[in-house]
Amino acid sequence: MIKPLLLQAADGGGLSSLILFGGVALVFYFFMIRPQQKKQKEQKKFIEEIKRGDNVVTIGGLHGKVMSTDDDTVTLEVDKGVKLKFNRSAISQESSKTVLEETK
């Protein structure tokens, strides 16, 4: 009973299953991993290039205008005379980007 099962497994199906596994790995890389890496790189570049006068949105959804920047922090003016200090990593995106995406 075991002998026929072993003979069926030794038909040379190893190469085709290896090719199938390689194809699945390539699809996974190009549709999942690569776009995520690209998005992370763009986000890091955006955070490094924040300057005074930019309109940004924080991770918590707070909209504000950048008043000053340090190495690790950004000061936002969220209303006239109301200034809040955030870590650079708390900035999510540029506010004008959000407005442009909503109009499409």
Side-chain angles (χ1 to χ4, degrees), residues 55-65 76-79 82-86 90-93 95:
N55 290 318
V56 296
V57 180
T58 65
I59 293 173
L62 200 67
H63 293 249
K65 186 174 185 177
L76 299 181
E77 183 177 41
V78 294
D79 200 13
V82 180
K83 295 179 183 177
L84 301 173
K85 189 179 257 190
F86 291 94
I91 305 298
S92 173
Q93 60 187 345
S95 183

Side-chain angles (χ1 to χ4, degrees), residues 30-88:
F30 282 108
F31 286 106
M32 300 288 285
I33 297 172
R34 191 167 177 224
Q36 184 65 27
Q37 288 175 341
K38 184 178 178 183
K39 186 176 178 182
Q40 285 176 346
K41 192 181 291 184
E42 288 173 358
Q43 179 70 13
K44 183 178 178 183
K45 182 181 176 186
F46 167 71
I47 288 175
E48 290 173 354
E49 293 178 350
I50 292 175
K51 62 186 179 303
R52 184 185 166 119
D54 288 345
N55 290 318
V56 296
V57 180
T58 65
I59 293 173
L62 200 67
H63 293 249
K65 186 174 185 177
V66 176
M67 297 308 291
S68 65
T69 60
D70 294 335
D71 290 337
D72 297 331
T73 61
V74 175
T75 304
L76 299 181
E77 183 177 41
V78 294
D79 200 13
K80 291 182 181 179
V82 180
K83 295 179 183 177
L84 301 173
K85 189 179 257 190
F86 291 94
N87 286 338
R88 279 187 180 261

